[in-house]
Amino acid sequence: MARFSCYFFLLLFIFTINPCLAVVQIDEFSIVDSDLLSSHGDYSPPSPPPPSLPPLPPSLSCEEDLNGIGSLDTVCELNSSFSFDSDVYIAGNGSFHVLPNVILSCPMKGCSISINVSCGEFRLGQNAGVFTGTLFVSARNASFSKGSVVNVSSLAGQPPAQTSGTPSGIQGAGGGHGGRGASCVSDNMKLPDDVWGGDAYSWSSLDKPWSYGSKGGTTSKEEDYGGEGGGRIRLEVEEAIEIGGSLLANGGDGGVKGGGGSGGSIYIKAHRMTGSGWLSASGGNGFAGGGGGRISINVFSRHDDTEFFIHGGKSFGCPDNSGAAGTYYDAVPQSLIVSNHNLSTNTDTLLMEFPKQPLWTNVHVRDHAKASVPLLWSRVQVRGQIRLSCGAVLSFGLAHFVSSEFELMAEELLMSDSILKANGGADAIVATSLLEASNLVVLRESSVIHSNANLGVHGQGFLNLSGPGDTIEAQRLILSLFFSIKVGPGSILRGPLENASDNDMAPRLYCEFQDCPIELLHPPEDCNVNSSLSFTLQICRVEDIIIEGIVTGSVVHFHWVRTVVVHSSGEITTSALGCTGGVGRGTVLNNGLAGGGGHGGRGGKGYYDGSFIEGGVSYGDAELPCELGSGSGNDSLAGATAGGGIIVMGSLEHSLSSLSVYGSLRADGESFGEVIRKQDHSTISNIGPGGGSGGTILLFVHSIMLADSSVISTAGGHGSPSGAGGGGGGRVHFHWSDIPTGDAYQPIASVKGSINTRLWILGEIIQIASAVCRGGFGRGQGHTGENGTITGKACPKGLYGIFCEECPLGTFKNVSGSDRVLCHSCPADELPSRAIYVDIRGGVTDRPCPYKCISERYHMPHCYTALEELVYTFGGPWFFGLILLGLLILLALVLSVARMKYVGGDELPALMPAHRGSQIDHSFPFLESLNEVLETNRTEESQSHVHRMYFMGSNTFTEPWHLPHVPPTQLIEIVYEDAFERFVDEINDLAAYQWWEGSIYSILSILAYPLAWSWLQQCRKRKLQQLREFVRSEYDHSCLRSCRSRALYEGLKVAATADLMLAYVDFFLGGDEKIGDLPLRLYQRFPISLVFGGDGSYMAPFSLQSDNILTNLMNQCVPPTMWYRLVAGLNSQLRLVRYGHLKLTFGHVISWLETHVNPTIIAYGVRVDLAWFQPTSSGYCQYGLVVSATSNENVQYWTEGQDRYFPSMEQLSWSGASRGDSGGRPGASEYLRIFGGILHAKNLQTLKMRRAICYPFSLIVCNTKPVGHQDLVGLLVSILLLGDFSLVLLTLLQMYSISLLDFVLVFFILPFAIFLPFPAGISALFSHGRRQSAGLARVYALWNITSLINVITAFVCGFLHYWSHSSRKHMSIQSWNFSMDESEWWMLPSGLVVCKIIQARLIDFHVANQEIQDHSLYSTDPDVFWQS
């Protein structure tokens, strides 16, 4: 062995002086050898140069010594197997190839084969092998083909001196190397961790391992059954190496009588590595398994898929305790792996001092490996991850030493189904360990971090306990500096330990002091582990904490934390972890029976043998509590109960920003028997102490949210069944920080759920959701403990209660404090009747209390509507009404004066009658004569006039004008009947309306009837113009027999009345007819029908149009002045006829004819009668006069043409031969007949009338007799017009005050109709001419009555609003204050209705005054009538 060592050192010396190697080093780049790696650690001076090495032995030759082919300076191929009996050295400048199936062997322990072809290639062919104790290869490239084997297993030489890798004794323990050898011998005097076989060694060279494995122990003194240790393999390749085969350095098996040997060493250095072979330095199997060896890979570029095995050997004597795992070190990423290949073990792999420059990157302990850092003080620091997985265990310190501690620092700590243990001691000053992961700490799959002393876990990233079984626990636990901590469902943070042993360091609790430890209110800022502080579990300087598992300890403190969320599965508890004794401990009898412990409330009294046992006293400050709960009993008694601990969140300087609780915060006292303790295998008896008192929950928070299922509890525990008292309730205090006030106020608490207990809080019984501070129940005859306290920080002005809520609506608070009675009711007299109190942010701090109007239609500060604001701006309802009335009168006077100056000259009546022959007779007002027609009137035309044929129909869309196809008797001799029928067809087609014209009329009738009436008049005028143009220029007059009339287009004339409802065709002679007795004289034409224009409606009253033709004819028997007077009087009577009241109003006309007309004109041989004419199929008929002669022998009654409207009429005929015209034309004696009937008092009652849908309006708007006083009527109309406009504005303002929808409905149903009467009235008042003024006044009246639809809409909207708001009425006010009470909504619409009705009547009077100037036309005395 010594000889080989000399060879090895000489070989290293040759590497330094070999020119080939020098050339290679120029081109070589190795990150391993680079100085860059040293830059990660502290600087250190370079090492001195190594001493000079002795020369190496001569190399074997290829052909002579090895029986190969070729030369070692070129290529040497070994094609036959060769066995050596001593160390071998092979060197050359070429390549060395071991061909397939060739075996090189040196089957002796510690035998060495060294191959140096540093300028060439070493190749181990397929299925070839090298079997030796040590293999050293140096080459430019190396290849270990698939199926090849380098096996140095069980051929180890002597391990390094002064190591204890080989176990002593005959226990059959395994050998140690990278990991300890197992031992199957149990020792009750030692801890399990202190029993092992061979020890580990060569830690300092694990990056370049070069140690043999150790031999296993034996179970026999006579024979050594122990397995041999594994050998060594070292491959140094300049460029690329391929590992396709197996490199084996396993320990030897010891069988069932010997321990397994430990694994050897494998070291590979190259620039590039490929292949998928095996690297194994595992321990050998045996009675106790050997420890694993060491593997180190120093390859810059790895592209391999090799598998490595460094696990310990299996133990046949103790299957659950195999040998400890070895080490696998990857030098380029500086990563250490400890893996036991899922073989369970209780034996440690020792991890000694970690390098400080450069730091390792990763440390992985996995697959049931058990690693240990067995130092009194150790510092483990890596740059990357420390990963524990698959049942791995990593322990620090020595369990049997009292002052072990460690520091573990990494970028990430990742644990999965693994354990990290820190063994400390009982010395509270030095037994503190630190675990720091700057980025991430993750525990999953029931991983545990455990320390039996102080433990600090620090980080800058995330700490995540993922799920069930994940635990971090210590006697005193500090978690700090993390950005976020998540305790997953089933995970646990615990401090102190549960069921800790006596050797564990126990935290000191301040049970016998009433003073509050200062660190609970003003904790230190550094967050370091300090054994002198009272905390047992502290979370410090963490942004966000999410708790879905359990956080438990005696004194739990959250310091400098931003947000804490406790989910429904989460719990923060210190229950039963307070003091066993304490200040409030209940009195204890000798038999162990005791009263309950006291804290926030007194402990319940116990009862025994007729007397009461006093419970513990109440202690602490309810306004800032920080005391542990007290127990009952004492340490010498079995079953003693403990009080609740303390939960403190935040501090006076640093409050939590937000606390959200869906789960529970508990500091309950312990109940007797809650934890079953057994002493001497016997259960505790029922005689025992009372319940422990509740602890303290002190919350320094900015805002809190308590969900429905959340619980905050410091309840007392229950006493023993034999009459012990219950524990008193603890204390809960909410210490709010920076309670926002005013506009900055935000609710600091959201509390839901219900309370199931009564809480005594500062002398007041209140209820708080999800908070329980009840006393524990006494059992037997023992008393229940008193309830604890729940308090909050004194609230600023406007806020009250524990959670500093805004004072209730309608109250104010102007002092600091939390009591409800400090919120005083606001004075009722400061609240307007239509106002309600409103919440304001931060509560009401002073009077007057803020309010708002009950609806947006009311306006602050008095909650008036817009209308009421206007009214009260001018002094109130009465004063406003007087001002408005005066203003209306003044404006009306101004309008009247302006009207008189503008139109006064046009209203002067004519002083002298016009001459008879003028075109238009102005001797009487236009409604008296009505002799104006839309046709030329020449005197000569009346001389050639033959007959006037009236159109049937009223010229509407449903009843257009049309002529009968049969010519009347008067026209038989002047027309061709066939041509006449064609003429009638053409003119009837032309007179018909298109469908769309009627559709427009229907739509406008719904939207606005005045517009529909205007549209109808325009269509009528256009239709008349078309008929006149047709007859005048388009029709060829072919129906006339006169050639002259056909040539000159003069035989036919079409005309109509002014109302465009009655049209007629006049037939004239052309002058070339051969009929000598035409035209007939007047007496020959009797009876003559004179049809009325109009239909009896307001816009078109009945009237008789007397043109020149008719006048000239009537002048043949009646004087012109008498005829004019008759027409004027008749038209004045016809004005009073109403379409829906024909029976009554026609009766007055018939009576007037019998009393005023016929008695006077009968002297001229004629009489007039009221009659009906030309009924149509739809039931429409025309009304007019029948002028007939008075000769008795020529008058007879007839009944021709019964129809549904007139069941019995009189027939009138007139003989053309009367008046002595005996020499007339043939047939002149025949009766001339008209189709119709005379109306008289008897048959008038049988008249059947149809009333339109707008019939009710005719009761308001109708034609009346003139009343005179024209200027006064105009003034009143002006006043009412302005009043109407004012009321419309006020009504719209009222509707807008109700709602915008009501305003729109009133304004647009009908569209704009409510406003249009005003411009229509102004136009009527300021129009020129009486006729035009009367016509415009009728339009004004029509708009006025149409706008009632809008007023009705206002009524409906007002009623619906009143009905919907009647249940929300406020106090009534003075009766004179109109529109202030919701019940007076009807006043303005009602006033508007009255105004419009009066206005309608005044308009009727105004129209009558304009149309009728001579009041004697209505005289009841016929003499006065005819003499005027």
Side-chain angles (χ1 to χ4, degrees):
M1 184 65 189
R3 182 182 62 179
F4 175 74
S5 298
C6 294
Y7 290 164
F8 173 68
F9 286 114
L10 289 176
L11 181 62
L12 292 178
F13 177 75
I14 291 175
F15 291 160
T16 61
I17 62 175
N18 193 322
C20 180
L21 291 178
V23 173
V24 172
Q25 290 172 356
I26 294 175
D27 298 332
E28 180 185 23
F29 173 77
S30 174
I31 193 172
V32 179
D33 293 335
S34 173
D35 290 337
L36 294 175
L37 292 178
S38 64
S39 62
H40 296 283
D42 297 332
Y43 173 78
S44 59
S47 302
S52 59
L53 300 176
L56 291 172
S59 171
L60 299 179
S61 63
C62 177
E63 295 181 349
E64 295 179 358
D65 298 325
L66 299 175
N67 297 326
I69 301 173
S71 170
L72 290 172
D73 291 328
T74 55
V75 175
C76 177
E77 294 181 347
L78 193 62
N79 55 9
S80 60
S81 299
F82 204 89
S83 179
F84 306 102
D85 55 4
S86 63
D87 295 341
V88 176
Y89 175 64
I90 303 172
N93 293 327
S95 298
F96 183 67
H97 295 175
V98 180
L99 297 181
N101 299 313
V102 174
I103 304 297
L104 294 181
S105 64
C106 182
M108 294 183 298
K109 297 178 182 179
C111 182
S112 171
I113 298 178
S114 300
I115 302 173
N116 180 11
V117 286
S118 56
C119 292
E121 178 186 18
F122 173 77
R123 181 182 299 171
L124 188 63
Q126 188 173 6
N127 297 324
V130 177
F131 298 88
T132 183
T134 297
L135 174 65
F136 177 85
V137 176
S138 175
R140 176 179 291 274
N141 295 290
S143 175
F144 295 84
S145 300
K146 185 176 182 180
S148 62
V149 176
V150 175
N151 192 348
V152 296
S153 301
S154 303
L155 293 175
Q158 291 299 321
Q162 299 180 352
T163 60
S164 55
T166 299
S168 59
I170 55 172
Q171 299 172 348
H177 180 198
R180 284 173 169 171
S183 174
C184 294
V185 177
S186 59
D187 189 345
N188 294 330
M189 302 300 296
K190 296 181 179 180
L191 296 174
D193 292 342
D194 292 336
V195 178
W196 61 84
D199 211 345
Y201 54 90
S202 298
W203 167 261
S204 60
S205 61
L206 65 80
D207 57 335
K208 297 179 180 179
W210 194 243
S211 297
Y212 289 116
S214 298
K215 182 179 177 63
T218 182
T219 58
S220 173
K221 294 182 179 180
E222 291 78 15
E223 187 173 353
D224 189 356
Y225 294 103
E228 300 293 336
R232 305 178 300 184
I233 300 175
R234 184 171 188 141
L235 308 177
E236 295 188 358
V237 180
E238 295 294 332
E239 294 182 1
I241 183 172
E242 177 188 8
I243 305 296
S246 301
L247 305 182
L248 307 177
N250 300 326
D253 294 339
V256 295
K257 295 184 179 181
S262 63
S265 299
I266 300 176
Y267 173 64
I268 300 175
K269 178 181 179 182
H271 183 75
R272 176 183 174 87
M273 180 173 171
T274 60
S276 57
W278 280 20
L279 307 177
S280 179
S282 57
N285 303 326
F287 180 78
R294 300 189 188 275
I295 299 176
S296 177
I297 307 296
N298 188 349
V299 176
F300 173 72
S301 177
R302 294 192 62 171
H303 300 276
D304 61 294
D305 191 21
T306 56
E307 297 185 42
F308 66 91
F309 301 92
I310 51 173
H311 58 83
K314 297 179 180 180
S315 299
F316 302 132
C318 46
D320 291 335
N321 185 19
S322 62
T327 61
Y328 175 88
Y329 181 73
D330 197 341
V332 172
Q334 297 174 332
S335 174
L336 177 65
I337 298 176
V338 179
S339 172
N340 210 34
H341 202 59
N342 290 323
L343 297 178
S344 60
T345 182
N346 295 324
T347 309
D348 293 332
T349 299
L350 302 185
L351 308 180
M352 309 303 286
E353 290 288 340
F354 278 49
K356 298 180 177 56
Q357 58 169 2
L359 296 174
W360 284 348
T361 302
N362 300 315
V363 174
H364 296 174
V365 181
R366 66 192 192 192
D367 300 331
H368 288 84
K370 186 172 182 294
S372 175
V373 182
L375 303 175
L376 294 180
W377 183 91
S378 58
R379 179 185 181 95
V380 175
Q381 183 174 3
V382 297
R383 289 182 296 170
Q385 293 181 351
I386 295 179
R387 181 189 294 268
L388 309 179
S389 61
C390 300
V393 178
L394 176 60
S395 59
F396 292 84
L398 300 174
H400 49 282
F401 283 89
V402 298
S403 59
S404 296
E405 55 183 327
F406 79 98
E407 293 180 7
L408 189 150
M409 301 180 184
E411 185 76 15
E412 297 178 354
L413 173 61
L414 306 179
M415 299 178 61
S416 175
D417 185 23
S418 55
I419 298 174
L420 191 153
K421 295 194 300 183
N423 295 311
D427 191 337
I429 298 177
V430 297
T432 299
S433 299
L434 299 177
L435 192 158
E436 181 175 345
S438 58
N439 186 28
L440 186 64
V441 177
V442 177
L443 281 72
R444 54 190 301 267
E445 297 183 7
S446 301
S447 296
V448 177
I449 298 178
H450 171 91
S451 173
N452 59 358
N454 299 335
L455 176 63
V457 182
H458 307 308
Q460 299 175 9
F462 295 86
L463 170 60
N464 186 4
L465 281 70
S466 303
D470 295 330
T471 304
I472 301 179
E473 59 182 3
Q475 287 292 74
R476 179 177 277 105
L477 177 62
I478 308 295
L479 308 178
S480 63
L481 304 179
F482 287 97
F483 177 79
S484 174
I485 294 177
K486 179 180 179 182
V487 182
S491 300
I492 300 174
L493 291 179
R494 181 184 291 121
L497 298 176
E498 204 172 39
N499 300 323
S501 65
D502 295 336
N503 294 329
D504 294 333
M505 185 196 74
R508 178 179 59 86
L509 300 179
Y510 54 99
C511 292
E512 305 301 328
F513 300 96
Q514 294 194 34
D515 296 335
C516 180
I518 191 63
E519 64 269 12
L520 291 179
L521 306 179
H522 305 279
E525 301 293 335
D526 54 11
C527 297
N528 292 327
V529 180
N530 189 338
S531 301
S532 65
L533 301 180
S534 56
F535 310 126
T536 63
L537 193 156
Q538 184 184 42
I539 300 178
C540 179
R541 288 181 180 265
V542 177
E543 289 289 315
D544 302 318
I545 300 175
I546 300 174
I547 299 174
E548 298 176 358
I550 298 174
V551 177
T552 179
S554 296
V555 181
V556 178
H557 186 227
F558 293 77
H559 174 47
W560 216 329
V561 174
R562 189 183 65 163
T563 62
V564 176
V565 179
V566 182
H567 287 272
S568 58
S569 61
E571 181 180 30
I572 302 175
T573 177
T574 60
S575 298
L577 293 175
C579 299
T580 303
V583 177
R585 179 168 55 184
T587 304
V588 185
L589 298 182
N590 293 331
N591 62 357
L593 199 65
H599 180 202
R602 292 181 57 87
K605 295 180 179 180
Y607 182 82
Y608 178 73
D609 197 17
S611 61
F612 289 99
I613 309 168
E614 290 295 327
V617 299
S618 174
Y619 59 95
D621 182 8
E623 294 297 330
L624 200 62
C626 53
E627 304 86 11
L628 291 161
S630 298
S632 180
N634 52 52
D635 296 336
S636 62
L637 296 175
T641 57
I646 300 177
I647 300 174
V648 181
M649 292 193 175
S651 63
L652 289 172
E653 292 81 10
H654 303 287
S655 299
L656 268 71
S657 296
S658 172
L659 172 62
S660 300
V661 182
Y662 301 88
S664 60
L665 306 180
R666 293 185 179 274
D668 299 333
E670 184 179 2
S671 297
F672 177 80
E674 186 175 293
V675 179
I676 299 178
R677 299 177 181 175
K678 293 186 178 181
Q679 297 177 350
D680 300 329
H681 303 285
S682 61
T683 306
I684 301 173
S685 67
N686 288 333
I687 299 177
S693 63
T696 297
I697 297 179
L698 177 58
L699 305 176
F700 297 92
V701 294
H702 182 75
S703 64
I704 189 171
M705 195 281 292
L706 303 179
D708 293 336
S709 59
S710 62
V711 174
I712 296 179
S713 175
T714 57
H718 308 317
S720 63
S722 300
R731 300 188 188 274
V732 176
H733 179 71
F734 299 88
H735 198 88
W736 312 109
S737 66
D738 300 328
I739 301 175
T741 58
D743 292 338
Y745 174 78
Q746 293 288 345
I748 57 178
S750 173
V751 181
K752 301 179 181 179
S754 60
I755 180 118
N756 57 5
T757 184
R758 301 173 66 199
L759 306 177
W760 179 261
I761 302 176
L762 298 181
E764 180 185 5
I765 298 295
I766 69 170
Q767 287 189 340
I768 295 179
S770 307
V772 180
C773 291
R774 66 174 183 269
F777 295 116
R779 298 180 181 176
Q781 298 184 16
H783 288 187
T784 299
E786 291 182 355
N787 292 329
T789 63
I790 298 181
T791 58
K793 183 180 178 181
C795 301
K797 295 179 181 180
L799 306 176
Y800 83 103
I802 292 178
F803 300 113
C804 288
E805 302 170 282
E806 296 166 340
C807 278
L809 193 64
T811 62
F812 71 95
K813 177 172 169 284
N814 54 7
V815 295
S816 297
S818 300
D819 203 330
R820 170 65 177 82
V821 299
L822 298 178
C823 295
H824 304 287
S825 297
C826 299
D829 57 354
E830 296 180 356
L831 182 69
S833 60
R834 289 197 187 113
I836 56 175
Y837 289 115
V838 295
D839 292 316
I840 64 170
R841 183 172 291 183
V844 183
T845 59
D846 209 344
R847 296 170 50 193
C849 298
Y851 60 87
K852 72 173 182 178
C853 301
I854 59 176
S855 172
E856 293 182 357
R857 65 192 183 98
Y858 303 123
H859 306 288
M860 297 290 287
H862 302 293
C863 292
Y864 291 157
T865 63
L867 174 61
E868 292 165 356
E869 284 189 330
L870 176 64
V871 170
Y872 282 95
T873 300
F874 292 95
W878 295 112
F879 197 60
F880 175 78
L882 292 176
I883 293 176
L884 181 60
L885 180 59
L887 185 62
L888 292 178
I889 295 174
L890 179 61
L891 290 177
L893 290 173
V894 173
L895 283 177
S896 297
V897 172
R899 175 176 171 272
M900 286 188 292
K901 289 187 177 182
Y902 183 69
V903 300
D906 296 334
E907 295 182 355
L908 295 176
L911 299 178
M912 297 297 293
H915 295 288
R916 179 177 175 180
S918 62
Q919 180 179 355
I920 300 177
D921 195 338
H922 292 287
S923 61
F924 296 98
F926 71 93
L927 279 182
E928 294 179 4
S929 61
L930 292 175
N931 57 353
E932 201 174 351
V933 295
L934 299 175
E935 185 55 73
T936 58
N937 296 316
R938 299 195 300 269
T939 303
E940 57 272 16
E941 286 183 342
S942 63
Q943 298 174 357
S944 62
H945 183 267
V946 176
H947 181 68
R948 174 168 290 177
M949 186 177 184
Y950 291 97
F951 280 86
M952 301 172 68
S954 58
N955 194 18
T956 62
F957 301 107
T958 58
E959 195 70 40
W961 281 333
H962 57 281
L963 292 173
H965 288 81
V966 178
T969 306
Q970 294 88 337
L971 301 179
I972 293 298
E973 297 181 4
I974 68 171
V975 298
Y976 299 107
E977 291 190 14
D978 294 340
F980 179 81
E981 291 181 2
R982 290 192 298 271
F983 165 71
V984 170
D985 288 335
E986 292 180 8
I987 206 166
N988 286 350
D989 290 341
L990 187 61
Y993 288 100
Q994 300 293 327
W995 67 269
W996 58 269
E997 295 175 302
S999 300
I1000 293 177
Y1001 176 78
S1002 300
I1003 295 173
L1004 291 178
S1005 297
I1006 297 174
L1007 297 179
Y1009 181 75
L1011 297 180
W1013 183 83
S1014 299
W1015 170 255
L1016 177 60
Q1017 290 299 100
Q1018 290 180 7
C1019 293
R1020 286 171 169 173
K1021 185 180 294 185
R1022 184 170 61 254
K1023 192 61 64 177
L1024 176 62
Q1025 186 67 25
Q1026 291 174 356
L1027 292 176
R1028 293 181 62 198
E1029 291 297 327
F1030 173 76
V1031 172
R1032 177 182 299 170
S1033 59
E1034 297 179 15
Y1035 181 60
D1036 58 2
H1037 291 58
S1038 60
C1039 67
L1040 299 177
R1041 295 178 183 270
S1042 172
C1043 296
R1044 185 174 180 273
S1045 296
R1046 292 198 301 270
L1048 298 178
Y1049 286 50
E1050 290 184 348
L1052 298 175
K1053 302 292 182 183
V1054 176
T1057 57
D1059 53 30
L1060 301 177
M1061 294 187 66
L1062 179 64
Y1064 48 85
V1065 181
D1066 286 320
F1067 290 83
F1068 301 90
L1069 294 176
D1072 57 346
E1073 293 90 347
K1074 297 179 180 180
I1075 303 174
D1077 57 350
L1078 291 179
L1080 298 175
R1081 299 290 294 171
L1082 178 63
Y1083 289 98
Q1084 294 174 311
R1085 300 188 186 196
F1086 285 155
I1088 297 176
S1089 61
L1090 303 179
V1091 181
F1092 298 151
D1095 59 355
S1097 64
Y1098 179 75
M1099 298 301 295
F1102 288 121
S1103 63
L1104 177 63
Q1105 304 282 349
S1106 181
D1107 58 353
N1108 284 342
I1109 294 177
L1110 183 58
T1111 302
N1112 290 334
L1113 286 174
M1114 297 306 300
N1115 286 346
Q1116 297 179 20
C1117 63
V1118 178
T1121 55
M1122 182 175 291
W1123 177 249
Y1124 291 148
R1125 189 65 177 174
L1126 186 153
V1127 172
L1130 178 63
N1131 286 336
S1132 63
Q1133 296 298 324
L1134 290 176
R1135 288 186 74 259
L1136 305 180
V1137 176
R1138 301 181 190 176
Y1139 176 75
H1141 303 78
L1142 294 181
K1143 294 180 181 180
L1144 177 63
T1145 53
F1146 268 154
H1148 296 304
V1149 176
I1150 294 174
S1151 176
W1152 182 82
L1153 290 175
E1154 294 299 329
T1155 59
H1156 287 67
V1157 178
N1158 285 330
T1160 301
I1161 66 172
I1162 198 171
Y1164 299 95
V1166 295
R1167 67 172 283 118
V1168 293
D1169 293 286
L1170 188 65
W1172 60 274
F1173 310 99
Q1174 302 186 138
T1176 63
S1177 60
S1178 63
Y1180 176 80
C1181 65
Q1182 297 169 332
Y1183 299 94
L1185 295 178
V1186 172
V1187 183
S1188 60
T1190 59
S1191 299
N1192 292 333
E1193 64 274 13
N1194 293 326
V1195 177
Q1196 60 180 345
Y1197 294 98
W1198 53 279
T1199 55
E1200 175 188 346
Q1202 306 268 341
D1203 76 351
R1204 55 185 175 179
Y1205 290 99
F1206 304 95
S1208 177
M1209 292 294 172
E1210 296 179 356
Q1211 182 178 6
L1212 179 65
S1213 63
W1214 183 263
S1215 174
S1218 61
R1219 296 280 181 176
D1221 191 7
S1222 58
R1225 62 179 177 82
S1229 61
E1230 296 179 1
Y1231 292 110
L1232 301 177
R1233 300 180 183 275
I1234 59 175
F1235 190 77
I1238 294 176
L1239 295 173
H1240 51 77
K1242 293 182 179 179
N1243 64 10
L1244 191 62
Q1245 300 304 317
T1246 64
L1247 184 66
K1248 295 182 179 179
M1249 296 175 297
R1250 290 185 301 177
R1251 291 175 177 175
I1253 192 173
C1254 57
Y1255 164 75
F1257 293 120
S1258 65
L1259 302 177
I1260 303 174
V1261 179
C1262 59
N1263 292 303
T1264 63
K1265 296 179 181 180
V1267 295
H1269 309 288
Q1270 182 172 340
D1271 292 337
L1272 179 59
V1273 172
L1275 176 61
L1276 293 177
V1277 170
S1278 300
I1279 294 175
L1280 289 176
L1281 179 62
L1282 294 171
D1284 177 273
F1285 185 70
S1286 301
L1287 288 176
V1288 165
L1289 292 178
L1290 294 176
T1291 301
L1292 289 176
L1293 192 59
Q1294 183 185 36
M1295 292 299 106
Y1296 179 76
S1297 300
I1298 294 176
S1299 72
L1300 182 60
L1301 177 61
D1302 293 338
F1303 174 83
V1304 172
L1305 291 176
V1306 173
F1307 198 79
F1308 288 100
I1309 302 178
L1310 303 169
F1312 305 100
I1314 198 168
F1315 267 133
L1316 292 177
F1318 182 75
I1322 294 296
S1323 176
L1325 291 175
F1326 283 85
S1327 60
H1328 291 277
R1330 294 182 179 277
R1331 180 167 184 153
Q1332 183 180 4
S1333 177
L1336 292 176
R1338 290 181 185 275
V1339 176
Y1340 165 36
L1342 201 59
W1343 277 114
N1344 179 64
I1345 203 67
T1346 303
S1347 63
L1348 282 175
I1349 303 297
N1350 301 75
V1351 181
I1352 293 173
T1353 304
F1355 262 105
V1356 173
C1357 293
F1359 173 75
L1360 292 177
H1361 167 73
Y1362 172 73
W1363 177 74
S1364 63
H1365 289 77
S1366 59
S1367 61
R1368 286 181 272 174
K1369 286 184 178 179
H1370 295 269
M1371 63 159 94
S1372 60
I1373 57 173
Q1374 294 87 345
S1375 60
W1376 53 265
N1377 197 358
F1378 82 96
S1379 191
M1380 282 291 291
D1381 193 353
E1382 299 296 336
S1383 63
E1384 298 177 357
W1385 57 270
W1386 52 271
M1387 296 187 65
L1388 283 176
S1390 298
L1392 195 55
V1393 170
V1394 173
C1395 179
K1396 288 186 177 295
I1397 292 176
I1398 298 175
Q1399 198 176 176
R1401 299 308 299 161
L1402 288 175
I1403 296 172
D1404 295 340
F1405 297 149
H1406 175 73
V1407 171
N1409 287 338
Q1410 292 292 326
E1411 293 181 345
I1412 305 296
Q1413 298 295 310
D1414 187 359
H1415 293 181
S1416 63
L1417 293 173
Y1418 290 100
S1419 175
T1420 58
D1421 188 353
D1423 295 335
V1424 175
F1425 171 77
W1426 288 108
Q1427 290 177 4
S1428 298

